[in-house]
Amino acid sequence: MKHKKEEIKKIVLEIKRILNRLGLKLEIIPGVDTVMAGRIISEIGDINRFRNADKLARLAGIAPYTMSSGNSELTKASRQENRRLFSAIFFLAIQIVKLKKGTKEPINPIFYEYYRRKISEGKTKTQALICISRRLINIIYGMLKIKTEYRDKNMEEKKVV
């Protein structure tokens, strides 16, 4: 067991080194650790192969497509998605809306409020998490495309105080 834990630590350090060398800072997003960042980036690959965040969302299976015939229109989930990327993003959405242990404070208040708003609009919990996943795709796309850091209002307020 001890040997396996040491191996895991070496692998995590190697992932961190690769992320730093590439200049990618996904770990700044609350709920994203080194392993999750490596998992997401390995599934996405080169971000420049996507023209926009919509194309990345399509790969992740988060963007639905519309089938229409005559006057009828049907929206379906894509079946050509990368299931590993979908599960990583969906799991991240779950992590972001969780409450911190021992408190009633959310990990990310902005996403938590968005989640509550979607549920109050009549969406199911799964549908609300898909909405959060789509927003995460937009954020991740922007971060990878221009190699910038994640910023939210709460982080900026803490720096000011």
PDB file of all heavy atoms in Angstrom, residues 132-159:
ATOM      1  N   ILE A 132     -24.910  23.697 -15.590  1.00  0.00           N
ATOM      2  CA  ILE A 132     -23.633  24.078 -14.979  1.00  0.00           C
ATOM      3  C   ILE A 132     -22.480  23.498 -15.790  1.00  0.00           C
ATOM      4  O   ILE A 132     -21.471  24.179 -16.017  1.00  0.00           O
ATOM      5  CB  ILE A 132     -23.577  23.619 -13.510  1.00  0.00           C
ATOM      6  CG1 ILE A 132     -24.533  24.483 -12.696  1.00  0.00           C
ATOM      7  CG2 ILE A 132     -22.162  23.698 -12.951  1.00  0.00           C
ATOM      8  CD1 ILE A 132     -24.728  24.029 -11.289  1.00  0.00           C
ATOM      9  N   SER A 133     -22.640  22.276 -16.259  1.00  0.00           N
ATOM     10  CA  SER A 133     -21.601  21.648 -17.085  1.00  0.00           C
ATOM     11  C   SER A 133     -21.341  22.469 -18.342  1.00  0.00           C
ATOM     12  O   SER A 133     -20.188  22.643 -18.753  1.00  0.00           O
ATOM     13  CB  SER A 133     -22.014  20.235 -17.478  1.00  0.00           C
ATOM     14  OG  SER A 133     -22.161  19.421 -16.351  1.00  0.00           O
ATOM     15  N   ARG A 134     -22.404  22.988 -18.923  1.00  0.00           N
ATOM     16  CA  ARG A 134     -22.247  23.811 -20.144  1.00  0.00           C
ATOM     17  C   ARG A 134     -21.480  25.084 -19.833  1.00  0.00           C
ATOM     18  O   ARG A 134     -20.616  25.502 -20.604  1.00  0.00           O
ATOM     19  CB  ARG A 134     -23.629  24.141 -20.714  1.00  0.00           C
ATOM     20  CG  ARG A 134     -23.581  24.936 -21.997  1.00  0.00           C
ATOM     21  CD  ARG A 134     -22.916  24.114 -23.106  1.00  0.00           C
ATOM     22  NE  ARG A 134     -23.030  24.780 -24.376  1.00  0.00           N
ATOM     23  CZ  ARG A 134     -22.056  25.476 -24.950  1.00  0.00           C
ATOM     24  NH1 ARG A 134     -20.889  25.610 -24.369  1.00  0.00           N
ATOM     25  NH2 ARG A 134     -22.249  26.048 -26.115  1.00  0.00           N
ATOM     26  N   ARG A 135     -21.783  25.699 -18.700  1.00  0.00           N
ATOM     27  CA  ARG A 135     -21.036  26.899 -18.301  1.00  0.00           C
ATOM     28  C   ARG A 135     -19.571  26.573 -18.038  1.00  0.00           C
ATOM     29  O   ARG A 135     -18.687  27.341 -18.370  1.00  0.00           O
ATOM     30  CB  ARG A 135     -21.660  27.526 -17.067  1.00  0.00           C
ATOM     31  CG  ARG A 135     -22.879  28.327 -17.386  1.00  0.00           C
ATOM     32  CD  ARG A 135     -23.060  29.371 -16.351  1.00  0.00           C
ATOM     33  NE  ARG A 135     -24.013  30.342 -16.843  1.00  0.00           N
ATOM     34  CZ  ARG A 135     -24.431  31.361 -16.153  1.00  0.00           C
ATOM     35  NH1 ARG A 135     -23.996  31.533 -14.934  1.00  0.00           N
ATOM     36  NH2 ARG A 135     -25.285  32.208 -16.659  1.00  0.00           N
ATOM     37  N   LEU A 136     -19.333  25.425 -17.412  1.00  0.00           N
ATOM     38  CA  LEU A 136     -17.957  25.003 -17.162  1.00  0.00           C
ATOM     39  C   LEU A 136     -17.196  24.794 -18.468  1.00  0.00           C
ATOM     40  O   LEU A 136     -16.016  25.141 -18.565  1.00  0.00           O
ATOM     41  CB  LEU A 136     -17.929  23.724 -16.323  1.00  0.00           C
ATOM     42  CG  LEU A 136     -18.249  23.896 -14.847  1.00  0.00           C
ATOM     43  CD1 LEU A 136     -18.445  22.541 -14.187  1.00  0.00           C
ATOM     44  CD2 LEU A 136     -17.148  24.674 -14.149  1.00  0.00           C
ATOM     45  N   ILE A 137     -17.861  24.236 -19.460  1.00  0.00           N
ATOM     46  CA  ILE A 137     -17.232  24.054 -20.777  1.00  0.00           C
ATOM     47  C   ILE A 137     -16.812  25.409 -21.340  1.00  0.00           C
ATOM     48  O   ILE A 137     -15.704  25.563 -21.857  1.00  0.00           O
ATOM     49  CB  ILE A 137     -18.183  23.324 -21.756  1.00  0.00           C
ATOM     50  CG1 ILE A 137     -18.278  21.857 -21.402  1.00  0.00           C
ATOM     51  CG2 ILE A 137     -17.754  23.511 -23.204  1.00  0.00           C
ATOM     52  CD1 ILE A 137     -17.056  21.028 -21.716  1.00  0.00           C
ATOM     53  N   ASN A 138     -17.688  26.412 -21.224  1.00  0.00           N
ATOM     54  CA  ASN A 138     -17.345  27.753 -21.709  1.00  0.00           C
ATOM     55  C   ASN A 138     -16.127  28.303 -20.979  1.00  0.00           C
ATOM     56  O   ASN A 138     -15.231  28.896 -21.596  1.00  0.00           O
ATOM     57  CB  ASN A 138     -18.525  28.711 -21.540  1.00  0.00           C
ATOM     58  CG  ASN A 138     -19.671  28.385 -22.465  1.00  0.00           C
ATOM     59  OD1 ASN A 138     -19.522  27.671 -23.450  1.00  0.00           O
ATOM     60  ND2 ASN A 138     -20.840  28.900 -22.145  1.00  0.00           N
ATOM     61  N   ILE A 139     -16.089  28.137 -19.662  1.00  0.00           N
ATOM     62  CA  ILE A 139     -14.978  28.639 -18.855  1.00  0.00           C
ATOM     63  C   ILE A 139     -13.686  27.902 -19.211  1.00  0.00           C
ATOM     64  O   ILE A 139     -12.644  28.524 -19.431  1.00  0.00           O
ATOM     65  CB  ILE A 139     -15.292  28.501 -17.354  1.00  0.00           C
ATOM     66  CG1 ILE A 139     -16.401  29.483 -16.973  1.00  0.00           C
ATOM     67  CG2 ILE A 139     -14.051  28.724 -16.503  1.00  0.00           C
ATOM     68  CD1 ILE A 139     -16.993  29.246 -15.593  1.00  0.00           C
ATOM     69  N   ILE A 140     -13.758  26.589 -19.279  1.00  0.00           N
ATOM     70  CA  ILE A 140     -12.567  25.790 -19.583  1.00  0.00           C
ATOM     71  C   ILE A 140     -12.053  26.112 -20.984  1.00  0.00           C
ATOM     72  O   ILE A 140     -10.848  26.254 -21.196  1.00  0.00           O
ATOM     73  CB  ILE A 140     -12.872  24.281 -19.417  1.00  0.00           C
ATOM     74  CG1 ILE A 140     -13.063  23.966 -17.933  1.00  0.00           C
ATOM     75  CG2 ILE A 140     -11.780  23.428 -20.029  1.00  0.00           C
ATOM     76  CD1 ILE A 140     -13.631  22.593 -17.648  1.00  0.00           C
ATOM     77  N   TYR A 141     -12.966  26.263 -21.936  1.00  0.00           N
ATOM     78  CA  TYR A 141     -12.556  26.613 -23.294  1.00  0.00           C
ATOM     79  C   TYR A 141     -11.788  27.939 -23.300  1.00  0.00           C
ATOM     80  O   TYR A 141     -10.721  28.036 -23.891  1.00  0.00           O
ATOM     81  CB  TYR A 141     -13.775  26.701 -24.220  1.00  0.00           C
ATOM     82  CG  TYR A 141     -13.406  27.109 -25.624  1.00  0.00           C
ATOM     83  CD1 TYR A 141     -12.920  26.169 -26.518  1.00  0.00           C
ATOM     84  CD2 TYR A 141     -13.526  28.428 -26.049  1.00  0.00           C
ATOM     85  CE1 TYR A 141     -12.563  26.534 -27.797  1.00  0.00           C
ATOM     86  CE2 TYR A 141     -13.173  28.794 -27.332  1.00  0.00           C
ATOM     87  CZ  TYR A 141     -12.685  27.843 -28.208  1.00  0.00           C
ATOM     88  OH  TYR A 141     -12.325  28.213 -29.470  1.00  0.00           O
ATOM     89  N   GLY A 142     -12.347  28.935 -22.624  1.00  0.00           N
ATOM     90  CA  GLY A 142     -11.679  30.238 -22.575  1.00  0.00           C
ATOM     91  C   GLY A 142     -10.325  30.170 -21.886  1.00  0.00           C
ATOM     92  O   GLY A 142      -9.351  30.772 -22.347  1.00  0.00           O
ATOM     93  N   MET A 143     -10.258  29.417 -20.790  1.00  0.00           N
ATOM     94  CA  MET A 143      -8.992  29.294 -20.060  1.00  0.00           C
ATOM     95  C   MET A 143      -7.925  28.606 -20.899  1.00  0.00           C
ATOM     96  O   MET A 143      -6.766  29.019 -20.903  1.00  0.00           O
ATOM     97  CB  MET A 143      -9.204  28.514 -18.760  1.00  0.00           C
ATOM     98  CG  MET A 143      -9.989  29.268 -17.714  1.00  0.00           C
ATOM     99  SD  MET A 143     -10.310  28.266 -16.264  1.00  0.00           S
ATOM    100  CE  MET A 143      -8.665  28.136 -15.586  1.00  0.00           C
ATOM    101  N   LEU A 144      -8.300  27.561 -21.623  1.00  0.00           N
ATOM    102  CA  LEU A 144      -7.326  26.832 -22.427  1.00  0.00           C
ATOM    103  C   LEU A 144      -6.953  27.595 -23.690  1.00  0.00           C
ATOM    104  O   LEU A 144      -5.802  27.558 -24.120  1.00  0.00           O
ATOM    105  CB  LEU A 144      -7.870  25.448 -22.795  1.00  0.00           C
ATOM    106  CG  LEU A 144      -8.103  24.480 -21.641  1.00  0.00           C
ATOM    107  CD1 LEU A 144      -8.671  23.169 -22.162  1.00  0.00           C
ATOM    108  CD2 LEU A 144      -6.839  24.244 -20.850  1.00  0.00           C
ATOM    109  N   LYS A 145      -7.918  28.299 -24.270  1.00  0.00           N
ATOM    110  CA  LYS A 145      -7.672  29.001 -25.532  1.00  0.00           C
ATOM    111  C   LYS A 145      -6.712  30.177 -25.340  1.00  0.00           C
ATOM    112  O   LYS A 145      -5.779  30.352 -26.126  1.00  0.00           O
ATOM    113  CB  LYS A 145      -9.002  29.488 -26.106  1.00  0.00           C
ATOM    114  CG  LYS A 145      -8.923  29.955 -27.523  1.00  0.00           C
ATOM    115  CD  LYS A 145      -8.741  28.794 -28.454  1.00  0.00           C
ATOM    116  CE  LYS A 145      -8.909  29.247 -29.879  1.00  0.00           C
ATOM    117  NZ  LYS A 145      -8.795  28.170 -30.824  1.00  0.00           N
ATOM    118  N   ILE A 146      -6.941  30.979 -24.286  1.00  0.00           N
ATOM    119  CA  ILE A 146      -6.087  32.153 -24.087  1.00  0.00           C
ATOM    120  C   ILE A 146      -5.139  32.005 -22.902  1.00  0.00           C
ATOM    121  O   ILE A 146      -4.473  32.961 -22.527  1.00  0.00           O
ATOM    122  CB  ILE A 146      -6.919  33.445 -23.972  1.00  0.00           C
ATOM    123  CG1 ILE A 146      -7.883  33.367 -22.800  1.00  0.00           C
ATOM    124  CG2 ILE A 146      -7.637  33.744 -25.254  1.00  0.00           C
ATOM    125  CD1 ILE A 146      -8.657  34.641 -22.558  1.00  0.00           C
ATOM    126  N   LYS A 147      -5.103  30.793 -22.335  1.00  0.00           N
ATOM    127  CA  LYS A 147      -4.202  30.462 -21.217  1.00  0.00           C
ATOM    128  C   LYS A 147      -4.279  31.500 -20.097  1.00  0.00           C
ATOM    129  O   LYS A 147      -3.299  32.122 -19.723  1.00  0.00           O
ATOM    130  CB  LYS A 147      -2.775  30.286 -21.708  1.00  0.00           C
ATOM    131  CG  LYS A 147      -2.631  29.094 -22.610  1.00  0.00           C
ATOM    132  CD  LYS A 147      -1.216  28.779 -22.929  1.00  0.00           C
ATOM    133  CE  LYS A 147      -1.211  27.537 -23.810  1.00  0.00           C
ATOM    134  NZ  LYS A 147       0.103  27.122 -24.173  1.00  0.00           N
ATOM    135  N   THR A 148      -5.482  31.677 -19.605  1.00  0.00           N
ATOM    136  CA  THR A 148      -5.724  32.625 -18.531  1.00  0.00           C
ATOM    137  C   THR A 148      -6.173  31.885 -17.280  1.00  0.00           C
ATOM    138  O   THR A 148      -6.443  30.695 -17.319  1.00  0.00           O
ATOM    139  CB  THR A 148      -6.776  33.669 -18.953  1.00  0.00           C
ATOM    140  OG1 THR A 148      -6.870  34.661 -17.946  1.00  0.00           O
ATOM    141  CG2 THR A 148      -8.138  33.048 -19.159  1.00  0.00           C
ATOM    142  N   GLU A 149      -6.264  32.605 -16.181  1.00  0.00           N
ATOM    143  CA  GLU A 149      -6.694  32.026 -14.915  1.00  0.00           C
ATOM    144  C   GLU A 149      -8.192  32.236 -14.725  1.00  0.00           C
ATOM    145  O   GLU A 149      -8.768  33.174 -15.257  1.00  0.00           O
ATOM    146  CB  GLU A 149      -5.946  32.681 -13.750  1.00  0.00           C
ATOM    147  CG  GLU A 149      -4.484  32.358 -13.726  1.00  0.00           C
ATOM    148  CD  GLU A 149      -3.779  32.940 -12.518  1.00  0.00           C
ATOM    149  OE1 GLU A 149      -4.447  33.539 -11.652  1.00  0.00           O
ATOM    150  OE2 GLU A 149      -2.558  32.803 -12.449  1.00  0.00           O
ATOM    151  N   TYR A 150      -8.779  31.364 -13.921  1.00  0.00           N
ATOM    152  CA  TYR A 150     -10.189  31.484 -13.558  1.00  0.00           C
ATOM    153  C   TYR A 150     -10.333  32.580 -12.509  1.00  0.00           C
ATOM    154  O   TYR A 150      -9.563  32.640 -11.561  1.00  0.00           O
ATOM    155  CB  TYR A 150     -10.686  30.148 -12.991  1.00  0.00           C
ATOM    156  CG  TYR A 150     -12.083  30.196 -12.426  1.00  0.00           C
ATOM    157  CD1 TYR A 150     -13.185  30.202 -13.254  1.00  0.00           C
ATOM    158  CD2 TYR A 150     -12.288  30.243 -11.055  1.00  0.00           C
ATOM    159  CE1 TYR A 150     -14.465  30.237 -12.746  1.00  0.00           C
ATOM    160  CE2 TYR A 150     -13.571  30.273 -10.531  1.00  0.00           C
ATOM    161  CZ  TYR A 150     -14.651  30.277 -11.381  1.00  0.00           C
ATOM    162  OH  TYR A 150     -15.912  30.316 -10.866  1.00  0.00           O
ATOM    163  N   ARG A 151     -11.313  33.442 -12.722  1.00  0.00           N
ATOM    164  CA  ARG A 151     -11.605  34.488 -11.739  1.00  0.00           C
ATOM    165  C   ARG A 151     -13.107  34.530 -11.528  1.00  0.00           C
ATOM    166  O   ARG A 151     -13.875  34.479 -12.471  1.00  0.00           O
ATOM    167  CB  ARG A 151     -11.135  35.848 -12.245  1.00  0.00           C
ATOM    168  CG  ARG A 151      -9.642  35.999 -12.349  1.00  0.00           C
ATOM    169  CD  ARG A 151      -9.265  37.368 -12.875  1.00  0.00           C
ATOM    170  NE  ARG A 151      -9.832  37.627 -14.192  1.00  0.00           N
ATOM    171  CZ  ARG A 151      -9.180  37.443 -15.332  1.00  0.00           C
ATOM    172  NH1 ARG A 151      -7.971  37.004 -15.331  1.00  0.00           N
ATOM    173  NH2 ARG A 151      -9.759  37.702 -16.482  1.00  0.00           N
ATOM    174  N   ASP A 152     -13.499  34.647 -10.260  1.00  0.00           N
ATOM    175  CA  ASP A 152     -14.907  34.893  -9.976  1.00  0.00           C
ATOM    176  C   ASP A 152     -14.995  36.059  -9.000  1.00  0.00           C
ATOM    177  O   ASP A 152     -13.999  36.496  -8.445  1.00  0.00           O
ATOM    178  CB  ASP A 152     -15.640  33.642  -9.477  1.00  0.00           C
ATOM    179  CG  ASP A 152     -15.214  33.182  -8.100  1.00  0.00           C
ATOM    180  OD1 ASP A 152     -14.531  33.929  -7.387  1.00  0.00           O
ATOM    181  OD2 ASP A 152     -15.578  32.058  -7.726  1.00  0.00           O
ATOM    182  N   LYS A 153     -16.190  36.554  -8.806  1.00  0.00           N
ATOM    183  CA  LYS A 153     -16.386  37.742  -7.975  1.00  0.00           C
ATOM    184  C   LYS A 153     -15.911  37.526  -6.549  1.00  0.00           C
ATOM    185  O   LYS A 153     -15.334  38.410  -5.937  1.00  0.00           O
ATOM    186  CB  LYS A 153     -17.859  38.151  -7.981  1.00  0.00           C
ATOM    187  CG  LYS A 153     -18.327  38.630  -9.324  1.00  0.00           C
ATOM    188  CD  LYS A 153     -19.809  38.911  -9.310  1.00  0.00           C
ATOM    189  CE  LYS A 153     -20.310  39.221 -10.705  1.00  0.00           C
ATOM    190  NZ  LYS A 153     -21.742  39.379 -10.745  1.00  0.00           N
ATOM    191  N   ASN A 154     -16.154  36.342  -5.997  1.00  0.00           N
ATOM    192  CA  ASN A 154     -15.761  36.071  -4.614  1.00  0.00           C
ATOM    193  C   ASN A 154     -14.252  36.106  -4.436  1.00  0.00           C
ATOM    194  O   ASN A 154     -13.738  36.603  -3.444  1.00  0.00           O
ATOM    195  CB  ASN A 154     -16.307  34.720  -4.150  1.00  0.00           C
ATOM    196  CG  ASN A 154     -17.804  34.733  -4.028  1.00  0.00           C
ATOM    197  OD1 ASN A 154     -18.398  35.780  -3.803  1.00  0.00           O
ATOM    198  ND2 ASN A 154     -18.410  33.586  -4.194  1.00  0.00           N
ATOM    199  N   MET A 155     -13.500  35.587  -5.419  1.00  0.00           N
ATOM    200  CA  MET A 155     -12.052  35.599  -5.334  1.00  0.00           C
ATOM    201  C   MET A 155     -11.536  37.039  -5.384  1.00  0.00           C
ATOM    202  O   MET A 155     -10.605  37.403  -4.678  1.00  0.00           O
ATOM    203  CB  MET A 155     -11.433  34.786  -6.464  1.00  0.00           C
ATOM    204  CG  MET A 155     -11.636  33.293  -6.312  1.00  0.00           C
ATOM    205  SD  MET A 155     -11.080  32.359  -7.740  1.00  0.00           S
ATOM    206  CE  MET A 155      -9.314  32.478  -7.546  1.00  0.00           C
ATOM    207  N   GLU A 156     -12.141  37.860  -6.247  1.00  0.00           N
ATOM    208  CA  GLU A 156     -11.710  39.249  -6.365  1.00  0.00           C
ATOM    209  C   GLU A 156     -12.019  40.042  -5.102  1.00  0.00           C
ATOM    210  O   GLU A 156     -11.241  40.875  -4.673  1.00  0.00           O
ATOM    211  CB  GLU A 156     -12.384  39.894  -7.597  1.00  0.00           C
ATOM    212  CG  GLU A 156     -11.856  39.312  -8.897  1.00  0.00           C
ATOM    213  CD  GLU A 156     -12.643  39.780 -10.110  1.00  0.00           C
ATOM    214  OE1 GLU A 156     -13.495  40.688  -9.971  1.00  0.00           O
ATOM    215  OE2 GLU A 156     -12.405  39.237 -11.197  1.00  0.00           O
ATOM    216  N   GLU A 157     -13.191  39.767  -4.463  1.00  0.00           N
ATOM    217  CA  GLU A 157     -13.554  40.462  -3.227  1.00  0.00           C
ATOM    218  C   GLU A 157     -12.590  40.107  -2.097  1.00  0.00           C
ATOM    219  O   GLU A 157     -12.227  40.965  -1.307  1.00  0.00           O
ATOM    220  CB  GLU A 157     -14.984  40.116  -2.830  1.00  0.00           C
ATOM    221  CG  GLU A 157     -16.016  40.732  -3.729  1.00  0.00           C
ATOM    222  CD  GLU A 157     -17.428  40.253  -3.423  1.00  0.00           C
ATOM    223  OE1 GLU A 157     -17.625  39.522  -2.436  1.00  0.00           O
ATOM    224  OE2 GLU A 157     -18.340  40.608  -4.194  1.00  0.00           O
ATOM    225  N   LYS A 158     -12.150  38.852  -2.026  1.00  0.00           N
ATOM    226  CA  LYS A 158     -11.226  38.443  -0.970  1.00  0.00           C
ATOM    227  C   LYS A 158      -9.868  39.140  -1.125  1.00  0.00           C
ATOM    228  O   LYS A 158      -9.218  39.475  -0.156  1.00  0.00           O
ATOM    229  CB  LYS A 158     -11.033  36.921  -0.986  1.00  0.00           C
ATOM    230  CG  LYS A 158     -12.235  36.181  -0.487  1.00  0.00           C
ATOM    231  CD  LYS A 158     -12.033  34.691  -0.578  1.00  0.00           C
ATOM    232  CE  LYS A 158     -13.300  33.939  -0.165  1.00  0.00           C
ATOM    233  NZ  LYS A 158     -13.157  32.503  -0.323  1.00  0.00           N
ATOM    234  N   LYS A 159      -9.424  39.355  -2.390  1.00  0.00           N
ATOM    235  CA  LYS A 159      -8.163  40.035  -2.631  1.00  0.00           C
ATOM    236  C   LYS A 159      -8.241  41.497  -2.213  1.00  0.00           C
ATOM    237  O   LYS A 159      -7.279  42.064  -1.744  1.00  0.00           O
ATOM    238  CB  LYS A 159      -7.769  39.938  -4.099  1.00  0.00           C
ATOM    239  CG  LYS A 159      -7.330  38.550  -4.496  1.00  0.00           C
ATOM    240  CD  LYS A 159      -6.978  38.507  -5.956  1.00  0.00           C
ATOM    241  CE  LYS A 159      -6.613  37.101  -6.389  1.00  0.00           C
ATOM    242  NZ  LYS A 159      -6.340  37.023  -7.829  1.00  0.00           N
TER     243      LYS A 159
END
